[in-house]
Amino acid sequence: MAGVYGPHPFGYNRAMKSLQNLRIVLGITGGIAAYKSPDLVRRLMERGASVRVVMTTSATAFVGPLTLQAVSGQPVATNVLAMADGNAMGHIELARWADLVLVAPASADFLARLRMGRADDLLAAVCLTTTAPIALAPAMNQQMWQAPATVENCVVLRERGIHMIGPAAGAQACGEVGPGRMEEPLAIVEQVAEMFANRALAGRKVLITAGPTREPIDPVRYITNRSSGRMGYALADAARDAGAAVTLISGPVTLTPPDQVELISVETAAQMHEAVMSKVVGQDIFIGCAAVADYTPAAPAARKMKKSEVDLALTLQPTADILAAVAGSGNGLFTVGFAAETDNLALNARAKLQRKALDMIAANLVGGPDRGFDSADNELHVFWADGDRVLPLASKSRLARELVALIAERYQAARSANVGD
Ligand code: PMT
């Protein structure tokens, strides 16, 4: 039986933007404002972010790593060479893990080192390595902030796409008054949420499937697959953050339901098919990320099947192809499929794109430990009729944001082409 949970997305409270599933490396450098860092960690986590703290050596003179470990619930990293103890991630792992590197407070010295591309401590090395966005919340004496060297460093860092949060002006710890105070934790959190809330799908309705299905053999046994739902749930987060009203139809998973997303829980392929078709009218975009069973037992037993000594053959029958049904429903949805392949990725994905009459298909290699089913990361090769793009290995939340941005781009292009027809 399908169940409906969660508030309808039109009730989305823009005043409390979510950071759900966003992975943030919080860098703390040496400055008195570091005493606000535990509060910042708490507020980021309240909004749903996962936080890993990296401190410079001088930051540890202002606030204890143990405090930050307690509030973040994760080991705090301070030293690029201490990573070998296996307790914390190394700079490459941290850089890959992050959806955002936020440095707060960012000292004048750190701005200068970042501008120079130094890698002489763990935080600088993470910043140099990461391909995730970097945001800095500077904090320093007002003379240091206004010094020509700092001004020039900030110009260069902004030109490189680094996001500056503040600083605010006012009374400073040194007794002077002027610009250079770190923004308050709440204001930093709001700006981070703003960075990730684009409006690419504002006003659009997006229907997404996620997770596995379970096909019953008898009342206690079923056929399923390794899908965890992570990729589909991350897509729901990303589409919502892009301004869409999102309905997520999910097979059985153990994930926390996304905020401000209508969630419909189902178990079997037939239930998923029924739920999707009941929701399809009025939607703009469909993303089929679920690993729907291709076959289901033709006649599930009403009672628990007894063990016997002879071979057992199960008769399976094909399930309805939900993706093809949506693409062929005549409702004009922009339809995006997934292709899970163990070989011939491009060839098989392009064949599915054509056969199911899709607008786009996101292909992933599955079967390995570091991507695809039930992993934290993934890599996608996305195809459409006259183009393709590789979205390199990254966390599923980051990849979902990139895929949603690409879907929005292609969706707009398709709409403009239709208007021009
Ligand atoms: O959930 P995770 O652990 O995060 O893993 C993510 C993922 C690997 C499940 C995801 O990235 C993915 O690849 N999803 C599609 C899995 C799949 O079933 O692929 P497929 O190549 O067998 O199917 C092609 C497409 O047809 C898919 O969009 C699928 O949703 C759809 N389909 C398949 C069968 C069916 N009966 N109905 C369908 O709609």
Side-chain angles (χ1 to χ4, degrees):
M1 187 65 191
V4 182
Y5 303 98
H8 193 274
F10 290 127
Y12 187 49
N13 178 4
R14 280 268 146 210
M16 266 290 276
K17 291 190 200 80
S18 170
L19 298 177
Q20 207 176 17
N21 297 328
L22 197 73
R23 298 160 163 199
I24 301 178
V25 168
L26 175 65
I28 305 175
T29 69
I32 184 65
Y35 81 89
K36 295 180 181 173
S37 300
D39 186 34
L40 178 57
V41 172
R42 197 177 54 82
R43 288 181 188 275
L44 290 167
M45 290 176 66
E46 255 171 24
R47 299 281 186 103
S50 305
V51 180
R52 300 235 174 205
V53 176
V54 175
M55 302 177 76
T56 62
T57 309
S58 45
T60 61
F62 292 92
V63 59
L66 214 54
T67 307
L68 287 148
Q69 182 168 321
V71 283
S72 70
Q74 297 291 339
V76 170
T78 51
N79 183 347
V80 76
L81 298 175
M83 296 296 105
D85 63 8
N87 215 3
M89 292 182 183
H91 71 280
I92 307 276
E93 285 165 290
L94 279 165
R96 276 200 198 130
W97 178 85
D99 294 320
L100 170 73
V101 178
L102 168 67
V103 184
S107 65
D109 176 66
F110 187 74
L111 298 185
R113 287 195 292 123
L114 194 59
R115 187 235 169 127
M116 295 301 291
R118 304 289 296 254
D120 46 1
D121 66 13
L122 179 61
L123 183 56
V126 168
C127 289
L128 199 60
T129 313
T130 194
T131 54
I134 299 176
L136 307 175
M140 64 198 74
N141 163 271
Q142 54 99 15
Q143 291 288 7
M144 292 172 87
W145 174 248
Q146 294 175 92
T150 306
V151 171
E152 197 186 303
N153 290 338
C154 288
V155 169
V156 173
L157 292 172
R158 279 200 185 93
E159 277 170 7
R160 288 183 197 157
I162 289 177
H163 191 94
M164 292 288 180
I165 300 176
Q172 300 202 299
C174 55
E176 295 180 17
V177 178
R181 283 166 58 107
M182 186 175 87
E183 283 286 9
E184 291 303 321
L186 198 56
I188 294 175
V189 171
E190 281 302 331
Q191 290 210 36
V192 167
E194 211 47 63
M195 279 177 76
F196 285 87
N198 62 66
R199 310 299 302 149
L201 291 178
R204 299 287 146 231
K205 292 178 95 179
V206 178
L207 185 60
I208 300 174
T209 63
T213 62
R214 278 181 188 167
E215 308 305 319
I217 297 170
D218 69 13
V220 295
R221 303 181 179 95
Y222 51 78
I223 300 172
T224 191
N225 58 65
R226 295 181 190 278
S227 170
S228 64
R230 281 198 242 187
M231 192 70 234
Y233 277 53
L235 284 165
D237 282 337
R240 177 209 55 222
D241 289 349
V246 179
T247 302
L248 176 64
I249 298 178
S250 172
V253 298
T254 55
L255 303 173
T256 309
D259 290 340
Q260 291 108 24
V261 162
E262 182 186 19
L263 176 66
I264 301 177
S265 298
V266 297
E267 208 164 298
T268 64
Q271 286 170 0
M272 187 172 276
H273 180 240
E274 191 189 328
V276 167
M277 295 325 279
S278 75
K279 281 283 172 187
V280 88
V281 176
Q283 301 286 337
D284 298 296
I285 296 171
F286 176 73
I287 310 176
C289 184
V292 187
D294 290 321
Y295 292 92
T296 189
R303 294 167 183 232
K304 184 178 173 225
M305 290 163 68
K306 298 284 178 220
K307 184 177 178 226
S308 86
E309 298 306 316
V310 295
D311 290 354
L312 176 69
L314 272 179
T315 305
L316 303 177
Q317 66 186 25
T319 56
D321 192 313
I322 301 168
L323 188 59
V326 171
S329 68
N331 288 297
L333 271 76
F334 187 88
T335 308
V336 183
F338 268 70
E341 307 293 342
T342 49
D343 47 49
N344 291 328
L345 190 70
L347 205 70
N348 290 333
R350 279 215 178 273
K352 277 182 188 162
L353 180 74
Q354 272 193 352
R355 195 173 63 243
K356 301 196 187 197
L358 309 176
D359 294 291
M360 277 176 87
I361 194 153
N364 43 194
L365 271 179
V366 295
D370 64 338
R371 65 194 69 192
F373 283 86
D374 200 17
S375 64
D377 300 334
N378 206 3
E379 178 172 2
L380 294 173
H381 193 163
V382 189
F383 299 90
W384 56 98
D386 53 0
D388 70 303
R389 194 176 298 171
V390 173
L391 305 180
L393 190 66
S395 72
K396 284 183 177 167
S397 62
R398 176 140 160 225
L399 209 58
R401 286 170 207 281
E402 291 173 4
L403 180 58
V404 163
L406 184 56
I407 291 171
E409 191 185 304
R410 300 310 314 158
Y411 170 74
Q412 286 307 341
R415 270 164 57 94
S416 313
N418 285 341
V419 169
D421 282 348

